Short mmCIF file of all heavy atoms in Angstrom, two decimals:
data_model
loop_
_atom_site.label_atom_id
_atom_site.label_comp_id
_atom_site.label_asym_id
_atom_site.label_seq_id
_atom_site.Cartn_x
_atom_site.Cartn_y
_atom_site.Cartn_z
N MET A 1 6.77 58.35 176.22
CA MET A 1 7.12 56.92 176.28
C MET A 1 8.34 56.67 175.40
O MET A 1 8.36 57.03 174.25
CB MET A 1 5.93 56.08 175.79
CG MET A 1 6.08 54.60 176.08
SD MET A 1 4.66 53.68 175.47
CE MET A 1 3.37 54.23 176.56
N ALA A 2 9.31 56.07 175.97
CA ALA A 2 10.53 55.82 175.22
C ALA A 2 10.96 54.37 175.38
O ALA A 2 10.76 53.76 176.42
CB ALA A 2 11.63 56.75 175.71
N GLU A 3 11.52 53.88 174.33
CA GLU A 3 11.97 52.51 174.37
C GLU A 3 13.49 52.47 174.22
O GLU A 3 14.06 53.20 173.43
CB GLU A 3 11.32 51.71 173.25
CG GLU A 3 10.90 50.33 173.70
CD GLU A 3 10.26 49.56 172.57
OE1 GLU A 3 10.62 49.77 171.42
OE2 GLU A 3 9.37 48.74 172.85
N GLY A 4 14.09 51.61 174.97
CA GLY A 4 15.54 51.49 174.87
C GLY A 4 15.93 50.04 174.98
O GLY A 4 15.10 49.16 175.20
N TYR A 5 17.21 49.83 174.81
CA TYR A 5 17.72 48.47 174.86
C TYR A 5 18.41 48.23 176.18
O TYR A 5 19.31 48.97 176.56
CB TYR A 5 18.69 48.24 173.70
CG TYR A 5 19.21 46.83 173.61
CD1 TYR A 5 18.46 45.86 172.97
CD2 TYR A 5 20.44 46.49 174.15
CE1 TYR A 5 18.93 44.56 172.89
CE2 TYR A 5 20.92 45.20 174.07
CZ TYR A 5 20.16 44.24 173.44
OH TYR A 5 20.63 42.95 173.35
N CYS A 6 17.96 47.23 176.88
CA CYS A 6 18.60 46.88 178.14
C CYS A 6 19.67 45.83 177.87
O CYS A 6 19.39 44.76 177.34
CB CYS A 6 17.57 46.34 179.13
SG CYS A 6 18.32 45.81 180.68
N VAL A 7 20.89 46.18 178.25
CA VAL A 7 22.00 45.27 177.97
C VAL A 7 21.97 44.07 178.91
O VAL A 7 22.57 43.04 178.64
CB VAL A 7 23.35 46.01 178.12
CG1 VAL A 7 23.50 47.03 177.02
CG2 VAL A 7 23.47 46.66 179.47
N LYS A 8 21.29 44.22 180.01
CA LYS A 8 21.24 43.13 180.97
C LYS A 8 20.15 42.12 180.59
O LYS A 8 20.36 40.91 180.62
CB LYS A 8 20.99 43.68 182.37
CG LYS A 8 21.49 42.76 183.47
CD LYS A 8 21.55 43.52 184.80
CE LYS A 8 22.13 42.63 185.89
NZ LYS A 8 22.22 43.35 187.17
N CYS A 9 18.98 42.65 180.23
CA CYS A 9 17.89 41.78 179.80
C CYS A 9 18.08 41.35 178.35
O CYS A 9 17.44 40.43 177.88
CB CYS A 9 16.56 42.50 179.95
SG CYS A 9 16.16 43.00 181.63
N LYS A 10 18.97 42.05 177.65
CA LYS A 10 19.23 41.77 176.25
C LYS A 10 17.97 41.83 175.40
O LYS A 10 17.74 41.00 174.52
CB LYS A 10 19.93 40.41 176.08
CG LYS A 10 21.31 40.41 176.68
CD LYS A 10 21.97 39.06 176.52
CE LYS A 10 23.37 39.08 177.13
NZ LYS A 10 23.98 37.76 177.16
N THR A 11 17.16 42.81 175.71
CA THR A 11 15.95 43.01 174.92
C THR A 11 15.50 44.46 175.04
O THR A 11 16.00 45.20 175.88
CB THR A 11 14.82 42.07 175.41
OG1 THR A 11 13.71 42.20 174.55
CG2 THR A 11 14.40 42.41 176.81
N LYS A 12 14.56 44.82 174.22
CA LYS A 12 14.04 46.18 174.29
C LYS A 12 13.07 46.31 175.44
O LYS A 12 12.24 45.43 175.66
CB LYS A 12 13.35 46.54 172.97
CG LYS A 12 14.31 46.98 171.89
CD LYS A 12 13.52 47.49 170.70
CE LYS A 12 14.45 48.08 169.65
NZ LYS A 12 13.67 48.60 168.52
N LYS A 13 13.21 47.42 176.12
CA LYS A 13 12.33 47.68 177.25
C LYS A 13 11.84 49.12 177.18
O LYS A 13 12.50 49.99 176.63
CB LYS A 13 13.10 47.49 178.57
CG LYS A 13 13.56 46.08 178.80
CD LYS A 13 12.44 45.25 179.38
CE LYS A 13 12.95 43.86 179.70
NZ LYS A 13 11.87 43.03 180.27
N GLU A 14 10.72 49.33 177.79
CA GLU A 14 10.26 50.70 177.93
C GLU A 14 11.07 51.32 179.06
O GLU A 14 11.19 50.76 180.15
CB GLU A 14 8.78 50.71 178.27
CG GLU A 14 8.21 52.12 178.27
CD GLU A 14 6.74 52.14 178.67
OE1 GLU A 14 6.03 51.21 178.28
OE2 GLU A 14 6.35 53.07 179.37
N ILE A 15 11.63 52.48 178.76
CA ILE A 15 12.50 53.11 179.75
C ILE A 15 11.67 53.66 180.91
O ILE A 15 10.78 54.48 180.71
CB ILE A 15 13.34 54.23 179.11
CG1 ILE A 15 14.17 53.66 177.95
CG2 ILE A 15 14.23 54.88 180.14
CD1 ILE A 15 14.99 54.71 177.23
N ALA A 16 11.96 53.20 182.08
CA ALA A 16 11.25 53.67 183.26
C ALA A 16 11.90 54.94 183.79
O ALA A 16 13.12 55.10 183.71
CB ALA A 16 11.26 52.59 184.34
N GLU A 17 11.07 55.80 184.34
CA GLU A 17 11.54 57.06 184.90
C GLU A 17 12.39 57.82 183.89
O GLU A 17 13.45 58.35 184.22
CB GLU A 17 12.34 56.81 186.19
CG GLU A 17 11.52 56.15 187.27
CD GLU A 17 12.37 55.77 188.47
OE1 GLU A 17 13.31 56.51 188.78
OE2 GLU A 17 12.10 54.72 189.07
N ALA A 18 11.93 57.81 182.66
CA ALA A 18 12.69 58.45 181.58
C ALA A 18 12.75 59.96 181.77
O ALA A 18 11.75 60.60 182.05
CB ALA A 18 12.05 58.12 180.24
N VAL A 19 13.94 60.46 181.66
CA VAL A 19 14.16 61.90 181.77
C VAL A 19 14.91 62.37 180.54
O VAL A 19 15.92 61.77 180.16
CB VAL A 19 14.99 62.25 183.03
CG1 VAL A 19 15.25 63.75 183.10
CG2 VAL A 19 14.25 61.80 184.29
N GLU A 20 14.38 63.41 179.92
CA GLU A 20 15.04 63.91 178.73
C GLU A 20 16.17 64.84 179.12
O GLU A 20 16.00 65.73 179.96
CB GLU A 20 14.03 64.65 177.84
CG GLU A 20 14.55 64.90 176.45
CD GLU A 20 13.48 65.51 175.56
OE1 GLU A 20 12.44 64.87 175.36
OE2 GLU A 20 13.69 66.63 175.09
N GLU A 21 17.30 64.61 178.54
CA GLU A 21 18.46 65.43 178.84
C GLU A 21 19.06 65.98 177.56
O GLU A 21 18.99 65.34 176.51
CB GLU A 21 19.53 64.59 179.56
CG GLU A 21 19.13 64.24 180.98
CD GLU A 21 20.30 63.64 181.73
OE1 GLU A 21 21.34 63.39 181.11
OE2 GLU A 21 20.16 63.44 182.95
N THR A 22 19.63 67.14 177.68
CA THR A 22 20.34 67.71 176.54
C THR A 22 21.83 67.62 176.81
O THR A 22 22.32 68.09 177.83
CB THR A 22 19.94 69.18 176.32
OG1 THR A 22 18.52 69.26 176.20
CG2 THR A 22 20.57 69.72 175.05
N LEU A 23 22.50 66.99 175.89
CA LEU A 23 23.94 66.80 176.08
C LEU A 23 24.70 68.06 175.72
O LEU A 23 24.16 69.01 175.17
CB LEU A 23 24.42 65.64 175.22
CG LEU A 23 23.65 64.33 175.43
CD1 LEU A 23 24.22 63.25 174.54
CD2 LEU A 23 23.69 63.89 176.88
N LYS A 24 25.99 68.02 176.05
CA LYS A 24 26.83 69.19 175.80
C LYS A 24 26.91 69.52 174.32
O LYS A 24 27.05 70.66 173.93
CB LYS A 24 28.25 68.93 176.33
CG LYS A 24 28.29 68.94 177.86
CD LYS A 24 29.69 68.61 178.34
CE LYS A 24 29.73 68.53 179.87
NZ LYS A 24 31.05 68.09 180.35
N ASN A 25 26.82 68.48 173.49
CA ASN A 25 26.93 68.72 172.05
C ASN A 25 25.59 69.13 171.44
O ASN A 25 25.44 69.20 170.22
CB ASN A 25 27.48 67.47 171.35
CG ASN A 25 26.65 66.23 171.66
OD1 ASN A 25 25.53 66.34 172.12
ND2 ASN A 25 27.18 65.07 171.37
N GLY A 26 24.60 69.39 172.30
CA GLY A 26 23.32 69.87 171.80
C GLY A 26 22.33 68.77 171.48
O GLY A 26 21.18 69.03 171.21
N ARG A 27 22.80 67.56 171.53
CA ARG A 27 21.90 66.44 171.24
C ARG A 27 21.05 66.10 172.46
O ARG A 27 21.46 66.30 173.58
CB ARG A 27 22.72 65.21 170.83
CG ARG A 27 23.24 65.33 169.43
CD ARG A 27 23.72 63.99 168.97
NE ARG A 27 23.89 63.97 167.52
CZ ARG A 27 23.80 62.88 166.79
NH1 ARG A 27 23.54 61.74 167.35
NH2 ARG A 27 23.97 62.93 165.51
N LYS A 28 19.89 65.57 172.14
CA LYS A 28 19.02 65.18 173.24
C LYS A 28 19.09 63.68 173.46
O LYS A 28 19.32 62.91 172.53
CB LYS A 28 17.58 65.60 172.94
CG LYS A 28 17.36 67.08 173.14
CD LYS A 28 15.89 67.43 172.99
CE LYS A 28 15.66 68.90 173.33
NZ LYS A 28 14.24 69.25 173.21
N ALA A 29 18.88 63.33 174.68
CA ALA A 29 18.92 61.91 175.02
C ALA A 29 17.92 61.64 176.12
O ALA A 29 17.52 62.54 176.85
CB ALA A 29 20.32 61.52 175.46
N ILE A 30 17.51 60.40 176.20
CA ILE A 30 16.62 60.00 177.28
C ILE A 30 17.39 59.08 178.22
O ILE A 30 18.03 58.14 177.79
CB ILE A 30 15.37 59.31 176.72
CG1 ILE A 30 14.44 60.37 176.14
CG2 ILE A 30 14.66 58.51 177.81
CD1 ILE A 30 13.11 59.83 175.68
N LYS A 31 17.30 59.42 179.47
CA LYS A 31 17.99 58.63 180.47
C LYS A 31 16.96 58.07 181.43
O LYS A 31 16.05 58.77 181.86
CB LYS A 31 18.98 59.53 181.21
CG LYS A 31 19.96 58.79 182.09
CD LYS A 31 20.87 59.82 182.75
CE LYS A 31 21.80 59.17 183.75
NZ LYS A 31 22.57 60.19 184.49
N GLY A 32 17.09 56.82 181.71
CA GLY A 32 16.16 56.19 182.63
C GLY A 32 16.69 54.85 183.06
O GLY A 32 17.89 54.62 183.04
N LYS A 33 15.78 53.98 183.44
CA LYS A 33 16.26 52.67 183.84
C LYS A 33 15.29 51.58 183.44
O LYS A 33 14.11 51.83 183.19
CB LYS A 33 16.57 52.61 185.32
CG LYS A 33 15.45 53.05 186.24
CD LYS A 33 15.97 53.04 187.66
CE LYS A 33 14.86 53.35 188.65
NZ LYS A 33 15.35 53.31 190.02
N CYS A 34 15.83 50.39 183.40
CA CYS A 34 15.04 49.23 182.99
C CYS A 34 14.00 48.93 184.07
O CYS A 34 14.33 48.85 185.24
CB CYS A 34 15.97 48.04 182.78
SG CYS A 34 15.09 46.52 182.43
N PRO A 35 12.74 48.79 183.66
CA PRO A 35 11.69 48.50 184.63
C PRO A 35 11.83 47.11 185.25
O PRO A 35 11.23 46.83 186.28
CB PRO A 35 10.40 48.61 183.81
CG PRO A 35 10.82 48.37 182.41
CD PRO A 35 12.23 48.88 182.29
N THR A 36 12.60 46.27 184.62
CA THR A 36 12.73 44.89 185.12
C THR A 36 13.91 44.73 186.08
O THR A 36 13.75 44.23 187.19
CB THR A 36 12.90 43.93 183.94
OG1 THR A 36 11.83 44.12 183.03
CG2 THR A 36 12.92 42.49 184.41
N CYS A 37 15.08 45.19 185.64
CA CYS A 37 16.27 44.94 186.44
C CYS A 37 16.89 46.22 187.00
O CYS A 37 17.78 46.16 187.82
CB CYS A 37 17.30 44.17 185.61
SG CYS A 37 17.95 45.12 184.24
N GLY A 38 16.42 47.36 186.53
CA GLY A 38 16.91 48.62 187.09
C GLY A 38 18.21 49.11 186.49
O GLY A 38 18.78 50.09 186.94
N THR A 39 18.66 48.42 185.45
CA THR A 39 19.89 48.86 184.79
C THR A 39 19.65 50.21 184.10
O THR A 39 18.61 50.43 183.52
CB THR A 39 20.32 47.82 183.74
OG1 THR A 39 20.67 46.62 184.41
CG2 THR A 39 21.51 48.31 182.93
N VAL A 40 20.61 51.09 184.23
CA VAL A 40 20.49 52.41 183.62
C VAL A 40 20.45 52.28 182.11
O VAL A 40 21.27 51.58 181.51
CB VAL A 40 21.66 53.31 184.04
CG1 VAL A 40 21.61 54.64 183.31
CG2 VAL A 40 21.62 53.55 185.55
N MET A 41 19.46 52.94 181.51
CA MET A 41 19.33 52.90 180.06
C MET A 41 19.50 54.31 179.52
O MET A 41 19.14 55.29 180.15
CB MET A 41 17.96 52.34 179.67
CG MET A 41 17.79 50.91 180.09
SD MET A 41 16.09 50.36 179.91
CE MET A 41 16.02 50.06 178.17
N PHE A 42 20.04 54.36 178.34
CA PHE A 42 20.35 55.64 177.74
C PHE A 42 20.02 55.56 176.26
O PHE A 42 20.44 54.66 175.56
CB PHE A 42 21.84 55.93 177.94
CG PHE A 42 22.18 57.39 177.83
CD1 PHE A 42 21.86 58.27 178.86
CD2 PHE A 42 22.83 57.90 176.71
CE1 PHE A 42 22.18 59.61 178.77
CE2 PHE A 42 23.15 59.23 176.61
CZ PHE A 42 22.82 60.09 177.65
N LYS A 43 19.21 56.51 175.83
CA LYS A 43 18.82 56.47 174.43
C LYS A 43 19.03 57.85 173.81
O LYS A 43 18.54 58.85 174.33
CB LYS A 43 17.34 56.08 174.31
CG LYS A 43 16.86 55.95 172.88
CD LYS A 43 15.34 55.90 172.86
CE LYS A 43 14.83 55.87 171.45
NZ LYS A 43 14.66 54.53 170.93
N MET A 44 19.76 57.85 172.72
CA MET A 44 20.02 59.11 172.03
C MET A 44 18.80 59.51 171.21
O MET A 44 18.14 58.67 170.61
CB MET A 44 21.23 58.96 171.10
CG MET A 44 22.52 58.66 171.84
SD MET A 44 23.08 60.06 172.83
CE MET A 44 23.41 61.24 171.53
N LEU A 45 18.53 60.80 171.19
CA LEU A 45 17.40 61.29 170.41
C LEU A 45 17.89 62.25 169.33
O LEU A 45 18.99 62.77 169.40
CB LEU A 45 16.42 62.03 171.31
CG LEU A 45 15.70 61.21 172.37
CD1 LEU A 45 14.83 62.14 173.19
CD2 LEU A 45 14.85 60.14 171.74
N GLY A 46 16.99 62.51 168.42
CA GLY A 46 17.29 63.51 167.40
C GLY A 46 18.28 63.05 166.38
O GLY A 46 19.10 62.17 166.62
N GLY A 47 18.17 63.65 165.21
CA GLY A 47 19.08 63.29 164.14
C GLY A 47 18.82 61.88 163.67
O GLY A 47 17.94 61.18 164.17
N ARG A 48 19.58 61.49 162.69
CA ARG A 48 19.42 60.13 162.20
C ARG A 48 20.44 59.23 162.86
O ARG A 48 21.55 59.64 163.16
CB ARG A 48 19.56 60.10 160.68
CG ARG A 48 20.91 60.58 160.21
CD ARG A 48 21.01 60.49 158.71
NE ARG A 48 20.05 61.38 158.05
CZ ARG A 48 19.92 61.43 156.72
NH1 ARG A 48 20.65 60.67 155.96
NH2 ARG A 48 19.07 62.26 156.17
N LEU A 49 20.03 58.00 163.04
CA LEU A 49 20.95 57.05 163.65
C LEU A 49 21.97 56.61 162.61
O LEU A 49 21.65 55.96 161.64
CB LEU A 49 20.18 55.85 164.17
CG LEU A 49 19.30 56.13 165.40
CD1 LEU A 49 18.48 54.91 165.73
CD2 LEU A 49 20.15 56.51 166.60
N VAL A 50 23.19 56.98 162.86
CA VAL A 50 24.25 56.60 161.94
C VAL A 50 25.04 55.45 162.56
O VAL A 50 25.78 55.62 163.51
CB VAL A 50 25.19 57.79 161.66
CG1 VAL A 50 26.26 57.40 160.66
CG2 VAL A 50 24.39 58.98 161.14
N ALA A 51 24.80 54.29 162.02
CA ALA A 51 25.46 53.11 162.58
C ALA A 51 26.93 53.08 162.20
O ALA A 51 27.78 52.70 162.97
CB ALA A 51 24.77 51.86 162.09
N SER A 52 27.21 53.50 160.98
CA SER A 52 28.59 53.50 160.53
C SER A 52 28.94 54.86 159.95
O SER A 52 28.08 55.59 159.48
CB SER A 52 28.79 52.43 159.47
OG SER A 52 27.89 52.63 158.42
N ALA A 53 30.18 55.17 159.98
CA ALA A 53 30.62 56.44 159.45
C ALA A 53 30.41 56.48 157.94
O ALA A 53 30.59 55.47 157.25
CB ALA A 53 32.10 56.64 159.76
N PRO A 54 29.99 57.63 157.44
CA PRO A 54 29.78 57.75 155.99
C PRO A 54 31.07 57.54 155.22
O PRO A 54 32.03 58.28 155.40
CB PRO A 54 29.25 59.18 155.82
CG PRO A 54 29.64 59.90 157.07
CD PRO A 54 29.70 58.86 158.15
N SER A 55 31.07 56.52 154.40
CA SER A 55 32.30 56.18 153.69
C SER A 55 32.42 56.98 152.40
O SER A 55 33.51 57.25 151.93
CB SER A 55 32.32 54.69 153.38
OG SER A 55 31.09 54.30 152.81
N SER A 56 31.27 57.36 151.84
CA SER A 56 31.32 58.11 150.60
C SER A 56 30.55 59.42 150.75
O SER A 56 29.56 59.48 151.49
CB SER A 56 30.72 57.29 149.46
OG SER A 56 29.37 57.04 149.74
N PRO A 57 31.00 60.48 150.07
CA PRO A 57 30.31 61.77 150.17
C PRO A 57 28.95 61.76 149.49
O PRO A 57 28.12 62.62 149.74
CB PRO A 57 31.27 62.74 149.46
CG PRO A 57 32.09 61.87 148.56
CD PRO A 57 32.18 60.53 149.25
N SER A 58 28.70 60.78 148.66
CA SER A 58 27.44 60.71 147.93
C SER A 58 26.44 59.83 148.68
O SER A 58 25.80 58.97 148.12
CB SER A 58 27.67 60.17 146.52
OG SER A 58 28.26 58.89 146.59
N ALA A 59 26.34 60.08 149.99
CA ALA A 59 25.45 59.27 150.81
C ALA A 59 23.99 59.65 150.57
O ALA A 59 23.09 58.88 150.81
CB ALA A 59 25.79 59.42 152.27
N VAL A 60 23.78 60.88 150.10
CA VAL A 60 22.42 61.34 149.87
C VAL A 60 21.89 60.76 148.56
O VAL A 60 22.43 61.04 147.49
CB VAL A 60 22.37 62.89 149.82
CG1 VAL A 60 20.95 63.36 149.60
CG2 VAL A 60 22.94 63.48 151.10
N ASP A 61 20.86 59.97 148.70
CA ASP A 61 20.28 59.34 147.52
C ASP A 61 19.11 60.18 147.00
O ASP A 61 18.12 60.36 147.71
CB ASP A 61 19.80 57.94 147.89
CG ASP A 61 19.40 57.14 146.66
OD1 ASP A 61 19.54 57.68 145.55
OD2 ASP A 61 18.94 56.00 146.82
N PRO A 62 19.21 60.73 145.82
CA PRO A 62 18.13 61.56 145.29
C PRO A 62 16.84 60.78 145.09
O PRO A 62 15.75 61.33 145.16
CB PRO A 62 18.68 62.06 143.95
CG PRO A 62 19.79 61.13 143.61
CD PRO A 62 20.33 60.64 144.92
N ALA A 63 16.94 59.50 144.89
CA ALA A 63 15.75 58.68 144.68
C ALA A 63 14.94 58.58 145.97
O ALA A 63 13.73 58.49 145.95
CB ALA A 63 16.15 57.30 144.20
N ALA A 64 15.64 58.60 147.10
CA ALA A 64 14.96 58.48 148.38
C ALA A 64 14.10 59.69 148.66
O ALA A 64 12.99 59.60 149.16
CB ALA A 64 15.97 58.29 149.49
N SER A 65 14.62 60.88 148.30
CA SER A 65 13.86 62.10 148.55
C SER A 65 12.66 62.18 147.62
O SER A 65 11.65 62.79 147.94
CB SER A 65 14.76 63.32 148.35
OG SER A 65 15.35 63.29 147.07
N THR A 66 12.76 61.55 146.47
CA THR A 66 11.64 61.54 145.54
C THR A 66 10.49 60.72 146.11
O THR A 66 9.33 61.04 145.92
CB THR A 66 12.06 60.96 144.18
OG1 THR A 66 13.29 61.55 143.80
CG2 THR A 66 11.03 61.25 143.10
N GLU A 67 10.83 59.68 146.80
CA GLU A 67 9.81 58.82 147.38
C GLU A 67 9.01 59.52 148.47
O GLU A 67 7.82 59.34 148.58
CB GLU A 67 10.47 57.57 147.98
CG GLU A 67 10.64 56.46 146.96
CD GLU A 67 11.13 55.17 147.61
OE1 GLU A 67 11.26 55.12 148.84
OE2 GLU A 67 11.38 54.24 146.86
N THR A 68 9.70 60.34 149.23
CA THR A 68 9.03 61.00 150.35
C THR A 68 8.18 62.17 149.89
O THR A 68 7.31 62.62 150.61
CB THR A 68 10.08 61.49 151.36
OG1 THR A 68 11.06 62.23 150.66
CG2 THR A 68 10.73 60.32 152.07
N SER A 69 8.43 62.68 148.69
CA SER A 69 7.68 63.84 148.21
C SER A 69 6.54 63.43 147.30
O SER A 69 6.29 64.06 146.29
CB SER A 69 8.62 64.80 147.49
OG SER A 69 9.18 64.16 146.36
N THR A 70 5.86 62.38 147.67
CA THR A 70 4.74 61.91 146.84
C THR A 70 3.46 62.68 147.12
O THR A 70 2.44 62.44 146.51
CB THR A 70 4.48 60.41 147.11
OG1 THR A 70 4.51 60.20 148.50
CG2 THR A 70 5.52 59.55 146.42
N GLU A 71 3.54 63.63 148.05
CA GLU A 71 2.35 64.42 148.37
C GLU A 71 1.98 65.32 147.19
O GLU A 71 0.83 65.58 146.94
CB GLU A 71 2.61 65.28 149.60
CG GLU A 71 2.92 64.43 150.83
CD GLU A 71 3.41 65.31 151.96
OE1 GLU A 71 2.95 66.45 152.07
OE2 GLU A 71 4.27 64.85 152.72
N THR A 72 3.00 65.76 146.49
CA THR A 72 2.74 66.62 145.34
C THR A 72 2.29 65.76 144.15
O THR A 72 2.96 64.80 143.82
CB THR A 72 4.00 67.41 144.94
OG1 THR A 72 5.03 67.08 145.83
CG2 THR A 72 3.75 68.88 144.96
N PRO A 73 1.18 66.10 143.57
CA PRO A 73 0.69 65.33 142.42
C PRO A 73 1.52 65.51 141.17
O PRO A 73 2.13 66.54 140.99
CB PRO A 73 -0.75 65.87 142.21
CG PRO A 73 -0.78 67.20 142.88
CD PRO A 73 0.29 67.16 143.97
ZN1 ZN B 101 16.81 45.04 182.20
#
């Protein structure tokens, strides 16, 4: 089950007839269509969603990794 954004309905929709594809750059994506209007939807998979280009090399926050490693007592 995959969810994507339909530009025509301007809302999130569950991608109908979703097919997983691997792009040339090795990334995976889901391709399908909007169940409501049939507009082709495309959702990138894998990796982190980078909305903006990293402006500083110190993007890795050590405090963030500490939060995720709370399994260790
Ligand atoms: Zn739609």
Side-chain angles (χ1 to χ4, degrees):
M1 192 180 291
E3 221 180 32
Y5 183 83
C6 177
V7 292
K8 205 165 183 179
C9 299
K10 293 179 180 173
T11 186
K12 278 188 174 181
K13 295 278 184 180
E14 187 182 323
I15 302 178
E17 298 173 35
V19 178
E20 194 174 299
E21 288 190 353
T22 305
L23 306 181
K24 288 177 184 175
N25 55 16
R27 284 194 164 207
K28 284 187 175 180
I30 284 185
K31 192 180 174 186
K33 53 185 185 178
C34 174
T36 306
C37 66
T39 295
V40 174
M41 295 169 79
F42 201 75
K43 183 194 176 92
M44 296 292 295
L45 295 177
R48 61 179 64 183
L49 289 174
V50 182
S52 56
S55 48
S56 63
S58 59
V60 181
D61 189 2
S65 55
T66 314
E67 273 187 4
T68 51
S69 62
T70 45
E71 298 170 34
T72 359

